[in-house]
Amino acid sequence: MTDSEDDPLKERVESWLAREMPIIQMHGGTSAVRKADPEDGEVIVELGGGCKGCSVSDVTTGNIEAELIQWPEIAEVTVRVPDARESLGGPDQAESIMGIDRTEGGRGDWGSSNPGEDHL
C-alpha cells in the first residue's frame, strides 16, 4: 500500500477505492466511505450512481470486501449498494412520479399508465 500509515483509515480506504477500483467511476458509479473506525476495525462503504441496479455490483462489492478485509486494521467490511427502486420510492411507488409516466420505459400511454376500456 502506498498510502501513509499515519493517514486516517477513512482517507486510506477512499484513496484505495479511487486508485484500485476505477471501474466504479468509469461506469458512472460513486463510492463513499460511510464509516472507518480504527477502534473496532469496522468499515462501511456505500456505492451509488450507476452502481444502483447494476448487474455486476455484487462482483464489485465482493472484490472490495475481499481486499479490505486483508488489511490488518480492518476487522469487518460492509459494502452497501442501494436498490435502484429506492430513489423512485420503492415497489409501492405510484406509476407516475412528478408527472413522469414510467410505463413502457417512460414513453407513457397517452398520459395514462392504466388506460380504460375506450383505449385504442
Side-chain angles (χ1 to χ4, degrees), residues 21-119:
M21 301 299 289
I23 194 83
I24 294 170
Q25 289 186 346
M26 289 170 54
H27 288 177
T30 60
S31 62
V33 179
R34 298 295 183 204
K35 180 179 181 181
D37 189 337
E39 300 282 325
D40 66 8
E42 182 182 10
V43 172
I44 299 173
V45 175
E46 186 171 293
L47 303 179
C51 295
K52 287 190 220 180
C54 177
S55 62
V56 295
S57 63
D58 58 334
V59 174
T60 303
T61 60
N63 290 340
I64 293 169
E65 290 169 353
E67 178 63 33
L68 292 180
I69 200 67
Q70 294 181 37
W71 293 19
E73 65 270 45
I74 297 177
E76 180 182 352
V77 179
T78 303
V79 181
R80 299 187 299 223
V81 182
D83 186 304
R85 295 176 297 171
E86 288 179 16
S87 63
L88 294 174
D92 297 327
Q93 174 65 46
E95 281 298 311
S96 180
I97 182 170
M98 293 176 43
I100 301 170
D101 193 340
R102 296 187 326 206
T103 58
E104 295 188 34
R107 290 190 301 272
D109 195 13
W110 292 96
S112 171
S113 61
N114 189 13
E117 290 179 16
D118 54 301
H119 177 69

Side-chain angles (χ1 to χ4, degrees), residues 1-5 7 15 19:
M1 176 169 23
T2 60
D3 298 322
S4 168
E5 294 294 325
D7 289 341
S15 180
R19 184 179 60 249

